[in-house]
């Protein structure tokens, strides 16, 4: 315990060290994007960010878990001398040790402690199309119609930001953009096409919105810099015209009530099926130490910083459950904290860049996140930004990367195509009879053939505290070769998945689908295996 002055409160910086066996592998800590399966020999500063979601929890191959129960910025450190958590603010040291004997039992203990995971609607496990962004209701509905015309399955379409108009009306949670003249018709048209829609909502508000004005009256808005910083759409931000956008205080129950009041009035009333809660970390730009002195309903922002996503996601979940029991809740969110599984939330890995390395890093990120007890995770198919590929969709290597990413996503809890810089609909990649298009269609159809299996596994998550995306250590803890394997995993209890993680058919920016490509697959010992495509049996 080190005495610490948190604004005007006498408290402590707290730290606890543990001794682990040198060869012991540990897992968890959240979404780290570091490509590591075992989280030994690293130091991490845990503050929620766009592409990193930190959960101060790890579990060991020896069958125990440890949850460090602290919401403030925390440093996790593991080296030859010790394994430790150190948090900036703590009135005491508070942690839970749980022994289960195996990974599933440890996760069951964690969920018993922090909450069970409810079932999602069946349609959420289908294929999702999105992009940054559909700019009119005609375009949004048109995408669904095009998929129907092609005969390619699609369950969900996502409306991204700016349906509210300009940045001064940021996150108004109503349609103010003239390109969306009849939002009720848009929702009805999508439902008539037997599809569902979720919509982007944020943790911040522009100064001309109704929520902003009501929250400001009771001092329930923070003053640190967030995105967008400018009222103009220029890049870089034109700070001659500051946006005035401010993050709200979700720790305050009254603020959560106000948030839902406008969400219910402007969007829920239209019959929108779920919520894409973006920037739930939240976006925190140009960070200064003074930012953490901001007062929240539960103390300084420093004291409760990392629980922000838990509070804002939980507010929407609880209010929707109170409003109706006619439909299950589904929330897609960019950030998470321990226990967020109880709020029907699927976390995606943030604004990733398109590269083969990033694709590979998603595997260990998703697996370690799942090992913290939060079972629903996905990544933007194809990567959010396409910076590395100058020709975007005209780059043969990017088209191959996109196809491989979609194949990987077929075996993740949510199969969602999304990104900036170029559209990602299947028809942007050619037409039927062409290799990339056919690969995409094949795996979308494969996803639908697996839906009964996926839905049954999802029930095991809710009823038996199971996990859908499973690190190999969960099912084969006695096989030392899988303990730190970061490019294969189990999808449910039956499928071993080994994504292709490097280019096979693209050389010198030319496609060569005649050459043979392959990757090695390790079959864990202790069971018999069957090739899904051929039925061939392997020991």
């Amino acid at each position: 315990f080190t005495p610490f002055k948190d604004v005007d409160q006498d408290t402590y910086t707290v730290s606890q060290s543990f001794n682990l066996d040198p060869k012991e592998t540990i897992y968890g800590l959240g979404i780290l994007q570091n490509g590591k399966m075992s989280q030994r020999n690293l130091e991490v500063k845990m503050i929620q960010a766009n592409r990193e979601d930190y959960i101060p929890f790890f579990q060991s191959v020896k069958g125990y878990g440890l949850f460090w129960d602290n919401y403030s910025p925390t440093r996790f450190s593991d080296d030859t001398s010790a394994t430790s958590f150190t948090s900036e603010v703590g009135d005491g040291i508070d942690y839970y040790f749980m022994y289960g004997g195996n990974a599933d039992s440890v996760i069951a203990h964690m969920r018993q402690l922090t909450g069970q995971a409810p079932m999602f609607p069946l349609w959420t496990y289908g294929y999702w199309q999105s992009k940054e962004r559909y700019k009119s209701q005609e375009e949004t509905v048109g995408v669904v119609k095009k998929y129907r015309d092609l005969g390619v399955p699609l369950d969900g379409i996502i409306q991204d930001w700016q349906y509210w108009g300009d940045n001064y009306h940021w996150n108004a949670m109503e349609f103010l953009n003239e390109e969306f003249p009849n939002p009720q018709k848009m929702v009805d048209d999508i439902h008539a096409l037997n599809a569902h829609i979720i919509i982007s909502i944020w943790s911040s508000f522009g100064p001309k919105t109704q929520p902003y004005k009501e929250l400001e009256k009771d001092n329930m808005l923070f003053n640190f810099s967030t995105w967008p910083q400018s009222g103009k759409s220029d890049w870089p931000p034109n700070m001659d015209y500051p946006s005035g956008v401010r993050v709200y205080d979700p720790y305050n129950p009254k603020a959560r009530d106000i948030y839902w009041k406008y969400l219910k009035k402007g969007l829920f009333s239209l019959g929108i099926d779920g919520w894409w809660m973006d920037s739930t970390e939240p976006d925190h730009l140009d960070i200064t130490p003074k930012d953490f002195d901001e007062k929240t309903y539960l103390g300084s922002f420093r004291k409760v910083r990392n629980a922000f996503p838990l509070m804002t996601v939980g507010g929407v979940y609880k209010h929707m459950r109170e409003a109706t029991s006619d439909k299950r809740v589904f929330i897609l969110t960019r950030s998470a904290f321990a226990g967020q599984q109880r709020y029907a939330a699927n976390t995606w890995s943030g604004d990733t860049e398109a590269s083969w390395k990033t694709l590979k890093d998603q595997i260990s990120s998703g697996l370690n996140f799942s090992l913290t007890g939060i079972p629903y995770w996905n990544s933007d198919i194809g990567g959010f930004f396409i910076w590395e590929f100058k020709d975007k969709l005209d780059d043969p290597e990017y088209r191959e990367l996109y196809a491989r990413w979609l194949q990987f996503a077929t075996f993740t809890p949510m199969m969602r195509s999304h990104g900036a810089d170029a559209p990602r609909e299947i028809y942007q990649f050619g037409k039927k009879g062409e290799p990339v298009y056919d690969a995409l269609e094949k795996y979308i159809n494969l996803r639908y053939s697996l839906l009964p299996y996926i839905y049954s596994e999802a029930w095991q998550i809710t009823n038996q505290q199971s996990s859908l995306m499973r690190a190999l250590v969960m099912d084969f803890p006695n096989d030392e070769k899988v303990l730190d394997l970061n490019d294969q995993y189990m999808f449910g209890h039956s499928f071993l998945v080994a994504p292709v993680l490097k280019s096979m058919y693209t050389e010198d920016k030319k496609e060569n689908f005649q050459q043979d490509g392959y990757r090695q697959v390790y079959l864990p010992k202790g069971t018999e295996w069957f090739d899904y495509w051929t039925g061939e049996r392997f020991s």
Side-chain angles (χ1 to χ4, degrees):
F1 293 84
T2 304
F4 178 71
K5 192 82 167 181
D6 182 25
V7 194
D8 57 354
Q9 298 291 316
D10 290 321
T11 183
Y12 301 95
T13 291
V14 294
S15 183
Q16 178 70 51
S17 297
F18 305 89
N19 292 324
L20 275 62
D21 288 345
K23 294 184 179 181
E24 183 178 348
T25 52
I26 63 173
Y27 312 95
L29 302 181
I31 300 173
L32 271 63
Q33 304 273 6
N34 61 6
K36 290 169 64 71
M37 195 57 240
S38 175
Q39 305 288 22
R40 297 300 304 267
N41 303 309
L42 80 162
E43 183 169 317
V44 180
K45 182 66 179 291
M46 300 176 126
I47 302 179
Q48 308 296 20
N50 182 320
R51 292 184 290 183
E52 289 84 26
D53 301 320
Y54 295 111
I55 314 294
F57 169 92
F58 70 81
Q59 63 164 292
S60 165
V61 68
K62 294 170 72 174
Y64 69 83
L66 194 143
F67 172 39
W68 178 256
D69 193 5
N70 186 290
Y71 309 139
S72 70
T74 295
R75 186 181 75 251
F76 171 84
S77 178
D78 176 79
D79 56 32
T80 55
S81 62
T83 303
S84 65
F85 286 101
T86 303
S87 294
E88 290 187 11
V89 179
D91 297 327
I93 288 177
D94 190 1
Y95 66 89
Y96 296 84
F97 177 89
M98 53 198 81
Y99 181 75
N102 58 57
D104 280 305
S105 293
V106 171
I107 287 171
H109 282 308
M110 187 60 174
R111 292 201 197 138
Q112 182 183 14
L113 183 69
T114 64
Q116 300 298 334
M119 284 285 282
F120 289 157
L122 175 60
W123 52 269
T124 64
Y125 300 101
Y127 176 68
W128 289 80
Q129 188 62 61
S130 177
K131 79 169 184 178
E132 193 283 300
R133 62 186 171 88
Y134 297 125
K135 296 183 178 180
S136 70
Q137 69 181 72
E138 181 180 10
E139 183 182 11
T140 304
V141 176
V143 170
V144 183
K145 288 180 177 177
K146 183 72 171 178
Y147 271 87
R148 295 294 181 256
D149 291 343
L150 291 171
V152 177
L154 176 75
D155 260 286
I157 189 80
I158 303 180
Q159 180 58 55
D160 204 346
W161 61 345
Q162 295 292 30
Y163 59 88
W164 51 71
D166 58 63
N167 288 353
Y168 301 112
H169 291 89
W170 186 264
N171 195 35
M173 297 197 288
E174 58 179 319
F175 287 87
L176 303 175
N177 187 327
E178 62 185 13
E179 296 298 324
F180 297 85
N182 192 339
Q184 184 65 72
K185 185 177 187 305
M186 179 181 75
V187 174
D188 292 345
D189 287 347
I190 289 168
H191 287 165
L193 290 163
N194 197 30
H196 298 80
I197 179 172
I198 69 173
I199 196 164
S200 171
I201 55 176
W202 288 62
S203 302
S204 54
F205 296 96
K208 292 187 178 181
T209 64
Q210 296 301 312
Y212 181 104
K213 294 172 183 176
E214 187 167 348
L215 290 162
E216 186 184 34
K217 287 179 185 176
D218 289 331
N219 197 29
M220 292 184 285
L221 295 168
F222 298 135
N223 290 307
F224 57 76
S225 180
T226 193
W227 197 83
Q229 293 173 295
S230 173
K232 301 290 185 180
S233 58
D234 311 340
W235 187 261
N238 185 342
M239 295 312 295
D240 291 335
Y241 300 92
S243 69
V245 172
R246 294 167 67 187
V247 172
Y248 90 113
D249 180 2
Y251 307 96
N252 190 323
K254 185 176 179 182
R256 297 194 299 269
D257 290 344
I258 292 170
Y259 192 100
W260 173 254
K261 180 175 81 171
Y262 289 98
L263 178 57
K264 181 180 181 182
K265 177 184 176 183
L267 300 175
F268 181 72
S269 62
L270 297 173
I272 288 174
D273 301 295
W275 314 110
W276 177 16
M277 299 188 68
D278 209 337
S279 186
T280 48
E281 5 2 289
D283 274 308
H284 187 180
L285 309 177
D286 304 329
I287 299 173
T288 69
K290 195 173 182 180
D291 292 348
F292 294 95
D293 295 342
E294 290 266 344
K295 185 178 180 181
T296 80
Y297 183 79
L298 296 179
S300 74
F301 189 47
R302 179 180 297 104
K303 184 176 183 179
V304 294
R305 170 68 184 90
N306 284 340
F308 188 100
L310 182 72
M311 303 304 292
T312 189
V313 170
V316 171
Y317 173 83
K318 289 178 178 178
H319 279 100
M320 184 168 166
R321 294 296 292 135
E322 290 168 359
T324 180
S325 59
D326 291 344
K327 64 196 316 185
R328 297 176 187 172
V329 181
F330 178 74
I331 296 171
L332 175 63
T333 175
R334 198 169 75 184
S335 193
F337 191 72
Q340 202 155 305
Q341 70 279 354
R342 67 181 183 260
Y343 294 141
N346 182 107
T347 305
W348 95 95
S349 58
D351 297 342
T352 55
E353 300 171 25
S355 73
W356 292 99
K357 179 184 182 301
T358 303
L359 171 57
K360 184 176 182 179
D361 289 349
Q362 299 315 294
I363 298 173
S364 55
S365 293
L367 294 174
N368 275 296
F369 185 69
S370 182
L371 283 162
T372 69
I374 306 178
Y376 290 109
W377 173 95
N378 77 293
S379 64
D380 292 342
I381 295 175
F384 183 73
F385 295 112
I386 316 181
W387 292 331
E388 187 177 309
F389 300 91
K390 183 179 66 174
D391 296 326
K392 311 305 181 193
L393 302 193
D394 291 330
D395 188 315
E397 187 179 0
Y398 179 72
R399 290 200 297 274
E400 182 177 356
L401 172 64
Y402 182 86
R404 296 306 185 188
W405 208 312
L406 183 135
Q407 290 172 333
F408 160 60
T410 304
F411 300 95
T412 62
M414 185 181 187
M415 187 183 185
R416 170 178 173 258
S417 170
H418 178 68
D421 304 325
R424 312 292 175 88
E425 298 82 18
I426 186 173
Y427 44 85
Q428 309 290 350
F429 294 87
K431 59 182 184 294
K432 199 171 185 65
E434 297 178 354
V436 174
Y437 181 100
D438 287 351
L440 301 178
E441 183 181 34
K442 176 180 179 178
Y443 273 78
I444 293 172
N445 282 315
L446 175 61
R447 175 75 173 198
Y448 279 84
S449 73
L450 293 174
L451 279 184
Y453 169 78
I454 294 170
Y455 201 53
S456 297
E457 288 285 334
W459 170 239
Q460 294 301 314
I461 292 172
T462 297
N463 189 47
Q464 298 293 330
Q465 295 80 49
S466 185
S467 301
L468 185 55
M469 198 171 172
R470 304 172 61 82
L472 294 182
V473 68
M474 298 184 72
D475 296 296
F476 307 97
N478 297 319
D479 186 342
E480 292 186 357
K481 291 184 179 180
V482 310
L483 300 187
D484 201 20
L485 197 61
N486 66 353
D487 63 353
Q488 298 179 201
Y489 62 98
M490 295 293 290
F491 186 60
H493 290 82
S494 298
F495 284 92
L496 176 70
V497 182
V500 174
L501 300 171
K502 62 181 180 180
S503 175
M504 286 188 177
Y505 300 113
T506 311
E507 294 179 1
D508 300 323
K509 299 302 180 184
K510 294 181 180 179
E511 294 168 330
N512 180 7
F513 295 108
Q514 306 307 313
Q515 68 188 34
D516 291 328
Y518 68 92
R519 68 151 289 176
Q520 290 187 325
V521 178
Y522 179 72
L523 301 181
K525 64 183 179 181
T527 188
E528 295 293 292
W529 298 95
F530 295 85
D531 185 312
Y532 176 79
W533 304 107
T534 68
E536 185 179 359
R537 180 173 177 163
F538 297 88
S539 295

